[in-house]
Structures are given as C-alpha cells and as structure tokens.
Amino acid sequence: MAPATVRYARVGGLPCALAGATMGTTWSARLVLPVGVAESVARRAIQSALDDVVAQMSHWEEGTAITRYNRAEVGWQALPARMLDVLDCGLAVARLTGGAYDPTIGALVSAWGFGPRQRAYEPPGAAAIDAARARCGWARVRRDGSHAWQDGGVLLDFSSIAKGYGVDCGARALLALGVGDFLLEVGGELRAQGLRPDGLPWRVAIEWPDGGGHADHVVLDRQAIATSGDYRRYFQHDGKRHSHTLDPRSGRPIDNGTASVTVLHDSCMHADAWATALTVLGAEAGLRMANAQGLAALFVVRGEHGLEPRASRAFIASRAAQYAGPHESAPATP
C-alpha cells in the first residue's frame, strides 16, 4: 500500500464525530458528511445497521434469531440472510483450522462463566467441561439454502465475529449515504475508507498488550482490522490467568503464549474471526496458517524476554508504518 504524498482538503464536506452503544460495548465514527447528508441521518444509519445485527445474532438478548435457533428442537431452522452469512464465514474458518475456531462454542463459553448468565470466578470441573464439549462441534451444523440444521443442544455463539460483521454493515450503511471518507469502530474492531477530514490517511495504532504503547501502526483504506487477545477479558484463579478465548479442541482457555493477534482484511467479519482462530492456533501453527491463507497478521507472543511481535508475510508486505509526521492514530484493541 503506497502512502499518499499529497495532503488536500475535503471539498464540500462536513467533518463530524459520532458515537453510540451496541453489543454490550460502544461504537464510534469519524467521517466527512457529503453535502445534503445530516449528522442525525448518518448516526441513525449506523445505529440501525448495528441494531439489526443485534436483533439477529445476540445470544444475550431474548427473541433474537440466534436465541431461537439455540432453543430449537432437532431439525432444519430458517435463519435470516445476514445471520447465514456470518454462520457460513464461521463454518469456513472452522473447517480450515480443523476446529481451532468454532461458532458452536456457546456451551463451553457458558461453562467457563463468560456467557450471558454468569461471571467467571473459577474454572469448571472436568465433568462440566466434558458435558459442554458434547454440545459443541461445527461439523454438526449443516446448511441448506436459507436453513441450518439444529442437531440438538448446539449453541451458536458469534461473539468472536459479530462485532466485525457489525462494522461491515455500518460501513455499507455509510457508503449507501454517499459517505466515502470514514473510520468506523465497534468495540475495538475498525474499518476505514478514503481519507481523514484533513486529507491525511487513516492511521491506526495496534495496541501493545498489557499497556505500554503500540506494537505497530497501519494505514487503512477500504480495509478492516481486528484484534483478539488474552489480556482484556480473563479471570485469575490460584495464580493462573484464564482467558475468555477458549480452544474448542481442548475445551479450555488458550495457554500457548499468544498475547494478541491482529488481522488486516477487506472484510472486518473475516478479520474478526481469523484473529480469534489464529490466537487459538498460537504463533507457530498460526503463522503457518496465516501464510498459507495469505492473511496479514501480527502476533504478539509472550516470550522468555517479554512480549515479542511476529508478522506474517502478507502483513510485512502490506503494512504502511512508514508514514511520518504527527498523524493521530486510533487504537485497535480486542
């Protein structure tokens, strides 16, 4: 990605900043409004797009499409188109990673106390983990047209992909209004298009886990970024950190030394899912997978001498950290 060398003013547009709440977190947007598009219209467009994702895919809410699927009896269940898009992406990543990523992990998430019903204080027993694993398995979910098979007791959980998809939906809503310059963020997942109001590119900082600055910077244009990590949501028990990122293959939190993984992608949905999948795989297997799939990924690993960054070939090739000057950066966080 070549850096822009000419700074120019945005003609006929009004810079503005918007914010709101969604998916148990917040969203924010910085954009240039075209002539004739009111700030309130842009805000409603983003919020409406995100509300639609919540109405379909939040397992924290009653009456959503995903909640109805999770409570359904064995059989084919009709699902809305957007939810099918997310499910298909999750199943594809699960297939490619051999189950290191699994959109049917809901029972395990609840067993570890990271679900909507309780907080995590201590690890579940082996029997509880085994019982939860018996209800998981991406291969149990078959697809046919507008339907998905409920195999009995399968609990879909889109927590590792829905925010990214929400970013994509919000971005499409802005583009439909003719907004061509924006940075949209939902819970730390971002997508950018065009340029900042001052004509500079959107430059995003990748957070260094556990605080202490930034691991890198990237410039985004028609591209998304998502980060997964073990340092934002976890609990301590008997001196050990238990991350909310679970390995579906073992039924336990990751323990592979990976502090965070950041993925750049044309789709924030894919970036979100792959960031989680690569975190579960760990630096060695994850880097092999990222290189095989052509994914731009930055791993931050807990090594003997502290945190160490490791980048995939595509990340090294695409990053635009060479931009100089006092560019304001937005943090990319899990």
Side-chain angles (χ1 to χ4, degrees):
M1 184 187 303
T5 56
V6 179
R7 181 186 297 201
Y8 62 94
R10 318 307 288 149
V11 177
L14 177 65
C16 77
L18 307 174
T22 187
M23 305 183 197
T25 183
T26 60
W27 66 264
S28 64
R30 294 168 56 196
L31 59 151
V32 178
L33 289 172
V35 175
V37 177
E39 182 177 310
S40 59
V41 172
R43 180 183 290 107
R44 282 197 303 270
I46 297 171
Q47 191 68 60
S48 177
L50 295 173
D51 289 348
D52 186 54
V53 175
V54 170
Q56 293 189 27
M57 298 173 235
S58 174
H59 64 289
W60 295 68
E61 306 284 341
E62 296 290 335
T64 63
I66 196 170
T67 299
R68 291 194 298 272
Y69 175 89
N70 287 347
R71 294 176 177 175
E73 301 293 332
V74 174
W76 291 102
Q77 306 299 322
L79 297 179
R82 288 185 173 182
M83 183 172 166
L84 289 171
D85 288 342
V86 174
L87 177 59
D88 287 344
C89 176
L91 292 176
V93 175
R95 188 175 300 107
L96 287 168
T97 60
Y101 181 86
D102 191 342
T104 71
I105 201 172
L108 271 174
V109 172
S110 294
W112 279 91
F114 294 113
R117 297 291 177 257
Q118 75 280 357
R119 290 183 57 191
Y121 293 106
E122 61 182 48
I129 294 174
D130 289 343
R133 290 184 67 196
R135 301 180 65 183
C136 302
W138 64 271
R140 297 171 62 185
V141 180
R142 292 177 280 151
R143 288 274 290 103
D144 184 13
S146 61
H147 292 71
W149 180 259
Q150 167 58 270
D151 204 39
V154 171
L155 300 182
L156 294 177
D157 186 328
F158 289 167
S159 298
S160 61
I161 193 172
K163 283 192 299 181
Y165 185 69
V167 171
D168 290 336
C169 291
R172 285 194 289 268
L174 289 175
L175 291 170
L177 293 175
V179 179
D181 300 284
F182 60 84
L183 176 68
L184 176 62
E185 172 266 342
V186 178
E189 323 297 24
L190 302 100
R191 181 178 184 84
Q193 172 131 349
L195 298 171
R196 290 171 19 167
D198 58 7
L200 289 170
W202 296 108
R203 191 168 184 255
V204 175
I206 300 174
E207 188 178 51
W208 195 249
D210 302 330
H214 302 129
D216 209 333
H217 296 78
V218 294
V219 169
L220 300 181
D221 182 13
R222 289 166 295 186
Q223 200 173 27
I225 185 170
T227 299
S228 177
D230 71 351
Y231 61 100
R232 284 291 182 184
R233 192 176 174 207
Y234 62 90
F235 67 91
Q236 296 272 9
H237 187 263
D238 288 342
K240 183 176 181 179
R241 178 199 303 239
H242 298 277
S243 169
H244 80 288
T245 302
L246 305 177
D247 186 338
R249 301 166 300 179
S250 67
R252 300 177 181 276
I254 58 169
D255 188 21
N256 56 22
T258 303
S260 72
V261 177
T262 297
V263 175
L264 305 178
H265 203 283
D266 293 341
S267 157
C268 200
M269 172 178 68
H270 284 84
D272 203 2
W274 275 112
T276 298
L278 297 178
T279 300
V280 173
L281 286 170
E284 186 174 342
L287 272 173
R288 287 198 302 270
M289 177 63 68
N291 287 329
Q293 296 297 320
L295 296 169
L298 178 66
F299 293 71
V300 178
V301 182
R302 302 183 190 279
E304 293 182 4
H305 304 292
L307 295 172
E308 304 170 359
R310 301 180 190 176
S312 70
R313 290 192 293 266
F315 185 90
I316 294 170
S318 67
R319 75 180 192 173
Q322 300 87 355
Y323 282 94
H327 306 324
E328 183 180 344
S329 301
T333 60

